[in-house]
Amino acid sequence: MSPVSAVRRGGLALLLALLTGCATSTDGDASAAPAAATPDTPRQLEGLVVPAVPSGLPRVPDDALSPPAGEKLVEDVAGYAEDAAREREVLDDYGYRFGWERYWGSGSGPLTTVAAHQFETTDGAAAFTADLAAHEAEVYGGLLREDPPDLPPGCRLLQLEEGAPAAGVAAPAALAWCARGAFSVAVTAVSGSVESATAEVRAVVAAQLERLPSP
């Protein structure tokens, strides 16, 4: 019943297969900003998504991806699934409102992605986050850790020391999913080592959650 397959098609899976094992630095901080009011539109949510990442990777233009990153409406996410009508029903059950995706990286190097999705209720965001994390862990393999050290409560972390070549992840990676109020946040980093990927993910998660309205 999870919309995870749709989110993967519209998210990080589009670029992971292109990556190599290039190293990346995690010097600096992800851009933080005072949290704003709860968004009423995807464009308002866009303003709450981190504009930069500590690794200094360049932004990937939204329209350079297929399907494009950026704004995600329920019909966009549902449309990535083989059974769009069924996927729409599932997203409606979660109370999905809209989302925004952003990418940093290049076609042959490290990659960082952020996806923020907004729901009608905190319960819907929490359920979506848990289901998404569990499904991705099944797809990529590895041990999914709930409430891991150095991540806020409500987060889950998956570390892939050698990537997951069978699933299109060609380099070490770290993936985190966090629920905060009516929001679900997913952050992925692919790098030259799982340590640098994890450091990037932790910094970006902290900055992204700080930008969201308090529960």
Side-chain angles (χ1 to χ4, degrees), residues 148-170:
D150 300 325
L151 281 177
C155 290
R156 293 164 171 82
L157 176 68
L158 181 66
Q159 294 168 298
L160 305 173
E161 292 190 8
E162 299 180 358
V169 185

PDB file of all heavy atoms in Angstrom, residues 148-170:
ATOM      1  N   PRO A 148      18.516   6.857  15.063  1.00  0.00           N
ATOM      2  CA  PRO A 148      19.958   6.637  15.205  1.00  0.00           C
ATOM      3  C   PRO A 148      20.633   7.830  15.883  1.00  0.00           C
ATOM      4  O   PRO A 148      20.090   8.937  15.891  1.00  0.00           O
ATOM      5  CB  PRO A 148      20.429   6.491  13.760  1.00  0.00           C
ATOM      6  CG  PRO A 148      19.478   7.347  12.995  1.00  0.00           C
ATOM      7  CD  PRO A 148      18.146   7.174  13.676  1.00  0.00           C
ATOM      8  N   PRO A 149      21.829   7.613  16.445  1.00  0.00           N
ATOM      9  CA  PRO A 149      22.558   8.737  17.043  1.00  0.00           C
ATOM     10  C   PRO A 149      22.838   9.830  16.010  1.00  0.00           C
ATOM     11  O   PRO A 149      23.008   9.557  14.828  1.00  0.00           O
ATOM     12  CB  PRO A 149      23.866   8.084  17.517  1.00  0.00           C
ATOM     13  CG  PRO A 149      23.540   6.632  17.666  1.00  0.00           C
ATOM     14  CD  PRO A 149      22.534   6.330  16.605  1.00  0.00           C
ATOM     15  N   ASP A 150      22.870  11.058  16.478  1.00  0.00           N
ATOM     16  CA  ASP A 150      23.206  12.224  15.653  1.00  0.00           C
ATOM     17  C   ASP A 150      22.126  12.589  14.649  1.00  0.00           C
ATOM     18  O   ASP A 150      22.350  13.431  13.775  1.00  0.00           O
ATOM     19  CB  ASP A 150      24.535  12.025  14.917  1.00  0.00           C
ATOM     20  CG  ASP A 150      25.697  11.796  15.869  1.00  0.00           C
ATOM     21  OD1 ASP A 150      25.692  12.407  16.954  1.00  0.00           O
ATOM     22  OD2 ASP A 150      26.584  11.008  15.535  1.00  0.00           O
ATOM     23  N   LEU A 151      20.957  11.968  14.750  1.00  0.00           N
ATOM     24  CA  LEU A 151      19.803  12.411  13.970  1.00  0.00           C
ATOM     25  C   LEU A 151      18.656  12.672  14.940  1.00  0.00           C
ATOM     26  O   LEU A 151      18.554  12.005  15.975  1.00  0.00           O
ATOM     27  CB  LEU A 151      19.390  11.367  12.929  1.00  0.00           C
ATOM     28  CG  LEU A 151      20.219  11.298  11.653  1.00  0.00           C
ATOM     29  CD1 LEU A 151      19.723  10.167  10.755  1.00  0.00           C
ATOM     30  CD2 LEU A 151      20.183  12.617  10.888  1.00  0.00           C
ATOM     31  N   PRO A 152      17.762  13.608  14.629  1.00  0.00           N
ATOM     32  CA  PRO A 152      16.670  13.933  15.541  1.00  0.00           C
ATOM     33  C   PRO A 152      15.704  12.763  15.724  1.00  0.00           C
ATOM     34  O   PRO A 152      15.647  11.848  14.889  1.00  0.00           O
ATOM     35  CB  PRO A 152      15.974  15.111  14.842  1.00  0.00           C
ATOM     36  CG  PRO A 152      16.992  15.664  13.910  1.00  0.00           C
ATOM     37  CD  PRO A 152      17.795  14.492  13.454  1.00  0.00           C
ATOM     38  N   PRO A 153      14.926  12.767  16.806  1.00  0.00           N
ATOM     39  CA  PRO A 153      13.895  11.734  16.988  1.00  0.00           C
ATOM     40  C   PRO A 153      12.940  11.718  15.797  1.00  0.00           C
ATOM     41  O   PRO A 153      12.658  12.754  15.188  1.00  0.00           O
ATOM     42  CB  PRO A 153      13.180  12.181  18.269  1.00  0.00           C
ATOM     43  CG  PRO A 153      14.182  13.007  19.001  1.00  0.00           C
ATOM     44  CD  PRO A 153      14.977  13.714  17.941  1.00  0.00           C
ATOM     45  N   GLY A 154      12.461  10.531  15.470  1.00  0.00           N
ATOM     46  CA  GLY A 154      11.557  10.396  14.333  1.00  0.00           C
ATOM     47  C   GLY A 154      12.254  10.169  13.017  1.00  0.00           C
ATOM     48  O   GLY A 154      11.596  10.147  11.972  1.00  0.00           O
ATOM     49  N   CYS A 155      13.588  10.006  13.063  1.00  0.00           N
ATOM     50  CA  CYS A 155      14.349   9.767  11.838  1.00  0.00           C
ATOM     51  C   CYS A 155      14.754   8.301  11.715  1.00  0.00           C
ATOM     52  O   CYS A 155      14.882   7.592  12.719  1.00  0.00           O
ATOM     53  CB  CYS A 155      15.607  10.627  11.801  1.00  0.00           C
ATOM     54  SG  CYS A 155      15.312  12.390  11.581  1.00  0.00           S
ATOM     55  N   ARG A 156      14.992   7.886  10.497  1.00  0.00           N
ATOM     56  CA  ARG A 156      15.506   6.549  10.188  1.00  0.00           C
ATOM     57  C   ARG A 156      16.685   6.702   9.245  1.00  0.00           C
ATOM     58  O   ARG A 156      16.681   7.593   8.390  1.00  0.00           O
ATOM     59  CB  ARG A 156      14.413   5.687   9.552  1.00  0.00           C
ATOM     60  CG  ARG A 156      13.268   5.358  10.509  1.00  0.00           C
ATOM     61  CD  ARG A 156      12.044   4.845   9.764  1.00  0.00           C
ATOM     62  NE  ARG A 156      11.027   4.331  10.664  1.00  0.00           N
ATOM     63  CZ  ARG A 156      10.138   5.090  11.315  1.00  0.00           C
ATOM     64  NH1 ARG A 156      10.173   6.408  11.160  1.00  0.00           N
ATOM     65  NH2 ARG A 156       9.246   4.543  12.114  1.00  0.00           N
ATOM     66  N   LEU A 157      17.678   5.833   9.406  1.00  0.00           N
ATOM     67  CA  LEU A 157      18.908   5.951   8.637  1.00  0.00           C
ATOM     68  C   LEU A 157      19.269   4.612   8.017  1.00  0.00           C
ATOM     69  O   LEU A 157      19.230   3.579   8.684  1.00  0.00           O
ATOM     70  CB  LEU A 157      20.055   6.416   9.538  1.00  0.00           C
ATOM     71  CG  LEU A 157      21.448   6.510   8.908  1.00  0.00           C
ATOM     72  CD1 LEU A 157      21.496   7.634   7.869  1.00  0.00           C
ATOM     73  CD2 LEU A 157      22.507   6.732   9.983  1.00  0.00           C
ATOM     74  N   LEU A 158      19.641   4.648   6.745  1.00  0.00           N
ATOM     75  CA  LEU A 158      20.128   3.478   6.028  1.00  0.00           C
ATOM     76  C   LEU A 158      21.501   3.819   5.462  1.00  0.00           C
ATOM     77  O   LEU A 158      21.653   4.816   4.756  1.00  0.00           O
ATOM     78  CB  LEU A 158      19.169   3.103   4.891  1.00  0.00           C
ATOM     79  CG  LEU A 158      19.544   1.874   4.055  1.00  0.00           C
ATOM     80  CD1 LEU A 158      19.480   0.607   4.905  1.00  0.00           C
ATOM     81  CD2 LEU A 158      18.599   1.745   2.861  1.00  0.00           C
ATOM     82  N   GLN A 159      22.502   3.009   5.766  1.00  0.00           N
ATOM     83  CA  GLN A 159      23.862   3.216   5.272  1.00  0.00           C
ATOM     84  C   GLN A 159      24.261   2.053   4.372  1.00  0.00           C
ATOM     85  O   GLN A 159      24.085   0.888   4.736  1.00  0.00           O
ATOM     86  CB  GLN A 159      24.841   3.338   6.440  1.00  0.00           C
ATOM     87  CG  GLN A 159      24.610   4.575   7.291  1.00  0.00           C
ATOM     88  CD  GLN A 159      25.377   4.526   8.600  1.00  0.00           C
ATOM     89  OE1 GLN A 159      25.154   3.638   9.420  1.00  0.00           O
ATOM     90  NE2 GLN A 159      26.286   5.474   8.787  1.00  0.00           N
ATOM     91  N   LEU A 160      24.765   2.380   3.210  1.00  0.00           N
ATOM     92  CA  LEU A 160      25.168   1.387   2.223  1.00  0.00           C
ATOM     93  C   LEU A 160      26.665   1.549   1.976  1.00  0.00           C
ATOM     94  O   LEU A 160      27.085   2.395   1.188  1.00  0.00           O
ATOM     95  CB  LEU A 160      24.381   1.569   0.923  1.00  0.00           C
ATOM     96  CG  LEU A 160      22.860   1.556   1.059  1.00  0.00           C
ATOM     97  CD1 LEU A 160      22.201   1.913  -0.275  1.00  0.00           C
ATOM     98  CD2 LEU A 160      22.363   0.213   1.556  1.00  0.00           C
ATOM     99  N   GLU A 161      27.466   0.759   2.664  1.00  0.00           N
ATOM    100  CA  GLU A 161      28.915   0.924   2.599  1.00  0.00           C
ATOM    101  C   GLU A 161      29.477   0.691   1.206  1.00  0.00           C
ATOM    102  O   GLU A 161      30.468   1.302   0.821  1.00  0.00           O
ATOM    103  CB  GLU A 161      29.592  -0.013   3.596  1.00  0.00           C
ATOM    104  CG  GLU A 161      29.315   0.359   5.052  1.00  0.00           C
ATOM    105  CD  GLU A 161      30.179  -0.424   6.012  1.00  0.00           C
ATOM    106  OE1 GLU A 161      31.090  -1.135   5.541  1.00  0.00           O
ATOM    107  OE2 GLU A 161      29.948  -0.318   7.232  1.00  0.00           O
ATOM    108  N   GLU A 162      28.868  -0.187   0.465  1.00  0.00           N
ATOM    109  CA  GLU A 162      29.328  -0.476  -0.897  1.00  0.00           C
ATOM    110  C   GLU A 162      28.260  -0.124  -1.927  1.00  0.00           C
ATOM    111  O   GLU A 162      28.285  -0.616  -3.047  1.00  0.00           O
ATOM    112  CB  GLU A 162      29.715  -1.952  -0.998  1.00  0.00           C
ATOM    113  CG  GLU A 162      30.853  -2.340  -0.062  1.00  0.00           C
ATOM    114  CD  GLU A 162      31.229  -3.797  -0.178  1.00  0.00           C
ATOM    115  OE1 GLU A 162      30.576  -4.526  -0.958  1.00  0.00           O
ATOM    116  OE2 GLU A 162      32.177  -4.218   0.513  1.00  0.00           O
ATOM    117  N   GLY A 163      27.355   0.718  -1.550  1.00  0.00           N
ATOM    118  CA  GLY A 163      26.245   1.022  -2.435  1.00  0.00           C
ATOM    119  C   GLY A 163      25.295  -0.151  -2.525  1.00  0.00           C
ATOM    120  O   GLY A 163      25.263  -1.024  -1.659  1.00  0.00           O
ATOM    121  N   ALA A 164      24.530  -0.166  -3.589  1.00  0.00           N
ATOM    122  CA  ALA A 164      23.621  -1.277  -3.869  1.00  0.00           C
ATOM    123  C   ALA A 164      23.553  -1.430  -5.378  1.00  0.00           C
ATOM    124  O   ALA A 164      22.582  -1.017  -6.019  1.00  0.00           O
ATOM    125  CB  ALA A 164      22.233  -1.017  -3.277  1.00  0.00           C
ATOM    126  N   PRO A 165      24.607  -1.999  -5.981  1.00  0.00           N
ATOM    127  CA  PRO A 165      24.695  -2.053  -7.446  1.00  0.00           C
ATOM    128  C   PRO A 165      23.479  -2.667  -8.119  1.00  0.00           C
ATOM    129  O   PRO A 165      23.060  -2.202  -9.187  1.00  0.00           O
ATOM    130  CB  PRO A 165      25.954  -2.893  -7.675  1.00  0.00           C
ATOM    131  CG  PRO A 165      26.780  -2.662  -6.452  1.00  0.00           C
ATOM    132  CD  PRO A 165      25.797  -2.553  -5.323  1.00  0.00           C
ATOM    133  N   ALA A 166      22.902  -3.691  -7.512  1.00  0.00           N
ATOM    134  CA  ALA A 166      21.746  -4.338  -8.130  1.00  0.00           C
ATOM    135  C   ALA A 166      20.544  -3.409  -8.195  1.00  0.00           C
ATOM    136  O   ALA A 166      19.654  -3.591  -9.035  1.00  0.00           O
ATOM    137  CB  ALA A 166      21.390  -5.608  -7.357  1.00  0.00           C
ATOM    138  N   ALA A 167      20.525  -2.416  -7.308  1.00  0.00           N
ATOM    139  CA  ALA A 167      19.423  -1.457  -7.286  1.00  0.00           C
ATOM    140  C   ALA A 167      19.816  -0.130  -7.909  1.00  0.00           C
ATOM    141  O   ALA A 167      19.074   0.846  -7.802  1.00  0.00           O
ATOM    142  CB  ALA A 167      18.939  -1.249  -5.856  1.00  0.00           C
ATOM    143  N   GLY A 168      20.993  -0.074  -8.559  1.00  0.00           N
ATOM    144  CA  GLY A 168      21.395   1.130  -9.260  1.00  0.00           C
ATOM    145  C   GLY A 168      22.217   2.107  -8.456  1.00  0.00           C
ATOM    146  O   GLY A 168      22.486   3.210  -8.929  1.00  0.00           O
ATOM    147  N   VAL A 169      22.632   1.744  -7.221  1.00  0.00           N
ATOM    148  CA  VAL A 169      23.466   2.633  -6.417  1.00  0.00           C
ATOM    149  C   VAL A 169      24.907   2.177  -6.570  1.00  0.00           C
ATOM    150  O   VAL A 169      25.314   1.169  -5.999  1.00  0.00           O
ATOM    151  CB  VAL A 169      23.050   2.606  -4.934  1.00  0.00           C
ATOM    152  CG1 VAL A 169      23.856   3.631  -4.146  1.00  0.00           C
ATOM    153  CG2 VAL A 169      21.562   2.890  -4.795  1.00  0.00           C
ATOM    154  N   ALA A 170      25.701   2.922  -7.326  1.00  0.00           N
ATOM    155  CA  ALA A 170      27.033   2.465  -7.714  1.00  0.00           C
ATOM    156  C   ALA A 170      28.126   2.887  -6.759  1.00  0.00           C
ATOM    157  O   ALA A 170      29.302   2.588  -7.000  1.00  0.00           O
ATOM    158  CB  ALA A 170      27.353   2.989  -9.119  1.00  0.00           C
TER     159      ALA A 170
END
